[in-house]
Amino acid sequence: MTDTAPDHLSGHVTTRIGHNQKDLVEGATGPWEVIIGLEVHAQVTSEAKLFSGAATAFGAEPNTQVSLVDAAMPGMLPVINRECARQAIRTGLGLGAQINLRSVFDRKNYFYPDLPQGYQISQFTQPIVGEGRITVDLPDGESFEVGIERLHLEQDAGKSIHDQHPQKTFIDLNRSGVALMEIVSKPDIRSGEEAAAYLGKLRSILRYLGTCDGDMSQGSMRADVNVSVRRPGEDLGTRAEIKNVNSLRFVRQAVDYEVRRQIELIEDGGEVDQETRLFDANRGETRSMRSKEEAHDYRYFPDPDLLPLEFDQAFVDALAADLPELPDAKKARFIDDYGLSSYDAGVLVAERETAEYFEAVIDPAGAKRDAKLAANWVTAELFGRLNNADKDITESPVAAVQLGGLIDLIADDTISGRIAKDVFAEMFDSGQEAAAIVEEKGLKQITDTGAIESVIDQLIADNPDQADQYRQGNTKVAGWFTGQAMKATQGQANPQMVNQILKDKLGG
Amino acid sequence: MAGTSDLTRLTIADAGAGLAAGDFSARELTQAHLDAMAAARDLNAYSAETPDQALAMADASDARRGQGDAQGPLDGIPLAIKDLFCTEGVLSTAGSHILDGFKPTYESTVTQQLWDAGAVMLGKTNMDEFAMGSANVTSHYGPCLNPWKAASGDAAGKDLVPGGSSGGSASAVAANIALGATGTDTGGSIRQPGSFCGIVGMKPTYGRCSRWGIIAFASSLDQAGPLTRTVRDGALMLGAMAGYDPKDSTSVDIPVPDYAAALTGDIRGLRVGIPAEYRMDGTPPEIEALWQQGRDWLRDAGAEIVDISLPHTKYALPTYYIVAPAEASSNLARYDGVRYGLRVEGEDIIDTYEKTRAAGFGPEVKRRIMIGTYVLSAGYYDAYYLQAQRVRTRIADDFRAAWDKCDVILTPTAPSAAFAIGEKMDDPIAMYLNDIFTVPASMAGLPAISVPAGLSADGLPLGLHLIGPAFAEETMLRAADVLETAAEFEGRQ
């Protein structure tokens, strides 16, 4: 169990002013505005846990990555892992946030079998990172801003395993003490789509920074989603918190369900309970876990085993100077330098690996291939095939340099775009180089003017009526001739040359 | 070779000299102590004896010495270890039922450093449960007795408490069944038993000794220190116990000086502060008189006596009884019956927690967990815990201001001599008042030492208490050494 932090969100005011008409949800009695804030737990990428030297690899045998500190043996003491603090600072910088040069670790006290200390070390009143702001793009090209309330470091709990014994619960402490960043947004999100987009953007930034692997299926990243509804312009409604949602799709589904539930509840004369809810992915619905009224009093107080975490501005500045290019900057550069559309650039930068692949395809320092052409190939053909094969871009059977080779063959008219698609399919299946496939299968484009002329002469001779229509200015017939010429050459004729020769011969 | 009883009466310094001179072996010295321990079991000073380990360690020491590889003044010296220290493979219970059968797989940093210096472990000493108490009466292993008896008065002939919480360590050293002992001091748990048993008890500066492997009571206050029969012995033990430990974030990385070398006997010009606020109503006249005597001794040795003020002194004890229980309530949450120690099976996990903790903790520990939970609760946190932390800062500020005027501060150690077992048991506040003079230094994290300075009218030992600035153990020890010399305290006859 990862328990709920107390309400970092309560009392926090949205920084998003006004409301967009399209965000309102129509109920039976009129429009409603949806107010959403996310608390995202992101596992810090580090070799060792937050306060012990134990390893953090996922999937190890139960209780094999547990130090004396993680098991809360008597007399054991936590020591901060500097790498985790460094990663938290880098993340804060990536979120454009205030970095607090002094922060304090607190104990959050509650009893649970997978919490061996009987308290979680977290940061309550003085987190390592304060307010920030990120820009989130929506698929329709619109964008909106989400305020970051804070980011703090805390320990993960262990894992309870309920299916090993009919009466007993087994405990795996491998995760106990693993470093998490809890990133709390302001309630600036207005729909399930926006919530998913925010989480996706956050994930993207963290993955660019290398501070969290963002692997939601393995629990490296999970979101607690706070949802409330209100009449536009009125005071905030009572919110429900949906715990531990672990995919972008589920976030959207959970919010959409919860919004409908709350609106129907209120319109039927009921009231929303302030409570914790669980998203059931199989049923696509949320249901009550426990009410906040029963929630623990966590008795936070500064952990006396740890000194305040302090560092100087020079340390922060050095980390800032060493940050990688982040998605927003990369997108702007792709638009400016490569002339890509905002949409294409957005798609390409969403994942650091995709952006790197794309830039390797165009090879700006070397081959300087056509960026728009490369973007189309990556986002259409490559993504399509990867998607069908259920692979991500790091597993692509076609390396970036190979796709570059294919594009070169298009650019120098060795093959047409249409043939290139067949070649690419072959490359994807066999991993062969484009040039080798073209050579082997004899797919080279016919660029020999004489050969194309003889095909067209034959076509004109065989189809005198169409040729007359062409001469009388029926341009539709031009397309028909091109198609016939391509058909006659099994698609290998260069289409531009076909058009030019047709024009020369019939246009007079 | 000296007689067996002579060996147990040695100071650490003299025993070290005897070992170095080949007058006796570490094995002989250790065996003499094991024999004495067996003869003194009625004191209940040890909760676990480790004779096999002791003799093996003594033999190893003799072997080192034989090869000219003796490690220093503690090599071959038999010591007792408070049961709050985790010792590898040896029962470590903090005097609590809830740690039944717990044998750590690890060794506390402080004890490891002692063993690295060649010291020999005789066993683990009795203590108040989780170091919560001032009379060693809250131990799961039963009360420990003070080897002293009152010659007259109400307590005459009765079994007396050794003080607490390091009661077993103090009793063992006073009864000559250890040459020295480790203790821990949270609010006075080394110094008050030192005073009650007529020995030297020193709490170093917070951060001077690693807390790693010491079962936590109140993390911001707990500090290990030695209980010895002389100031010099305390200096020798501290030299081995102290030092920076990267495993304890609150330990401080400054060099460990040669403390024994600081005992020059020369305190001319030393400014000794006498805090007005320590003159409290109800303090017995004989304690006041001893305090005056201490001033005279130090002045006669060339020190300058200075009146000082520590205005927040009266808030120290109430503040301590907020901060220490608050931390304890959290530190003791890990004793849940799941991973080690006692488990009382229940219907479900919550029931198991409740049954285990109900059976495993004694009444004083439960009281402090309740107090600590209360003062950290929503709605009370600001009024109690936060306010206590603010007051704690003021207390530290008082001392900081005082160091402009003086180099050490002299006070009584405890408001009374040892009392009979069973007294004050029904009155926690009266029990807590034992620490009235020792708690302020704890709250400020300062080094302090109790030196046996005289006897009460009933013939029981009374200590005087010196407090020094942070990490000024050398100055404090120098003054303590002069006080000890002047007092000519005879020890138990």
Side-chain angles (χ1 to χ4, degrees), chain B residues 27 29 32 62 71 76-77 86 163 260 267 293 309 335 347-348 350 368 392 394 431 439 487:
Chain B
R27 189 180 180 92
L29 183 64
D62 287 332
Q71 292 299 297
I77 300 297
C86 287
I267 58 162
Q293 179 67 68
S309 175
Y335 306 104
E347 303 274 311
D348 54 29
I350 299 297
R368 299 207 196 183
R392 188 175 182 178
R394 297 288 185 88
M431 192 66 92
V439 152

Side-chain angles (χ1 to χ4, degrees), chain B residues 191-221:
Chain B
R191 293 162 284 162
Q192 182 256 16
S195 179
F196 276 23
C197 291
I199 61 169
V200 175
M202 174 169 40
K203 181 197 93 74
T205 310
Y206 183 79
R208 182 70 284 191
C209 295
S210 170
R211 292 184 297 113
W212 193 88
I214 299 174
I215 297 171
F217 160 19
S219 310
S220 73
L221 295 155

Side-chain angles (χ1 to χ4, degrees), chain A residues 92-110:
Chain A
L93 291 168
L95 300 175
Q98 166 74 35
I99 306 300
N100 295 324
L101 300 181
R102 182 180 194 275
S103 63
V104 173
F105 287 102
D106 298 285
R107 292 187 186 176
K108 175 184 178 182
N109 295 282
Y110 63 94

